[in-house]
């Protein structure tokens, strides 16, 4: 139970930072590109994203959890997100208070201004409630999916994976100070 809580807490911070730091967003953006929202969206990750996430999991053995236990937990922890990527399931009553439900995660994938950068947790929605990033799905505000700036050729695999890196690269080529270049890398996207 302690490992599950620690894993989910680390995930919350990884996922939140992936929305708040440009270089982390560049590896995570593929997961948010789809304008359709279904179970396949949960599998939209890149090798680079998997690698970056592993850097966050390094904390678990450092605080004393054995490798086999961590591996098992990460497999279990990775199953839940598959089932929350759906529009087929509505509100889930009392579960909405403490678990991440499909409703909560739809909000996370939304490009509606009132939904942006909310609901980063993976299993326990309490993290978003504790850290001020929770937003309930509103009955009169249908969720719109995709990116705020849609890709022109959104079926080209290289463009899908690299478009955000290309944007960062263009920003870095501008004649600006070193401090500004660091901001292009480590401040929020846009």
């Amino acid at each position: 139970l302690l490992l599950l809580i620690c894993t989910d807490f680390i995930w919350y911070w990884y996922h939140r930072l992936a929305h708040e730091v440009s270089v982390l967003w560049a590896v995570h953006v593929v997961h948010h590109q789809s304008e359709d929202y279904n179970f396949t969206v949960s599998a939209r990750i890149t090798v680079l994203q998997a690698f970056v996430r592993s850097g966050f999991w390094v904390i678990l053995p450092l605080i004393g959890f054995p490798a086999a236990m961590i591996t098992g937990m990460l497999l279990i922890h990775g199953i839940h997100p598959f089932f929350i990527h759906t529009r087929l399931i509505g509100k889930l009553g009392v579960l909405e208070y403490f678990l991440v439900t499909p409703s909560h995660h739809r909000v996370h994938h939304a490009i509606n201004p009132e939904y942006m950068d909310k609901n980063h947790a993976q299993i326990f929605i309490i993290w978003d409630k504790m850290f001020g990033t929770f937003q309930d799905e509103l009955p009169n505000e249908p969720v719109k999916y995709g990116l705020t700036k849609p890709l022109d050729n959104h079926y080209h695999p290289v463009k899908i994976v690299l478009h955000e890196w290309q944007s960062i690269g263009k920003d870095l080529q501008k004649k600006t100070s070193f401090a500004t270049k660091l901001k292009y890398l480590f401040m929020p996207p846009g």
Side-chain angles (χ1 to χ4, degrees), residues 64-76:
F65 292 105
M69 196 174 174
I70 294 167
T71 302
M73 181 55 68
L74 291 177
L75 290 172
I76 293 166

Side-chain angles (χ1 to χ4, degrees), residues 20-84:
E20 295 178 355
V21 175
S22 288
V23 292
L24 295 178
W25 175 245
V27 301
H28 182 62
V29 67
V30 172
H31 182 68
H32 285 269
Q33 289 170 348
S34 180
E35 294 173 6
D36 297 314
Y37 188 72
N38 54 44
F39 294 133
T40 64
V41 172
S42 66
R44 289 181 66 107
I45 65 168
T46 65
V47 172
L48 189 53
Q49 181 179 352
F51 178 75
V52 169
R53 286 195 308 205
S54 297
F56 284 80
W57 301 133
V58 163
I59 297 166
L60 294 170
L62 294 176
I63 59 176
F65 292 105
M69 196 174 174
I70 294 167
T71 302
M73 181 55 68
L74 291 177
L75 290 172
I76 293 166
H77 196 261
I79 292 170
H80 180 72
F82 176 79
F83 295 102
I84 60 176

Side-chain angles (χ1 to χ4, degrees), residues 133-154:
T133 54
F134 176 73
Q135 173 61 54
D136 206 5
E137 186 175 19
L138 304 171
N140 297 325
E141 186 60 39
V143 174
K144 296 175 194 128
Y145 304 102
L147 300 177
T148 56
K149 296 177 190 171
L151 299 177
D152 295 332
N153 181 359
H154 64 280

Side-chain angles (χ1 to χ4, degrees), residues 68-122:
M69 196 174 174
I70 294 167
T71 302
M73 181 55 68
L74 291 177
L75 290 172
I76 293 166
H77 196 261
I79 292 170
H80 180 72
F82 176 79
F83 295 102
I84 60 176
H85 287 89
T86 182
R87 291 179 291 171
L88 299 175
I89 299 171
K91 298 274 188 169
L92 294 176
V94 70
L95 296 177
E96 299 282 326
Y97 292 107
F98 60 94
L99 290 179
V100 174
T101 64
S103 175
H104 297 323
H105 206 64
R106 284 191 292 270
V107 166
H108 175 72
H109 276 265
I111 58 172
N112 312 50
E114 57 275 24
Y115 292 154
M116 293 285 293
D117 297 324
K118 302 292 184 186
N119 301 357
H120 303 290
Q122 184 155 316

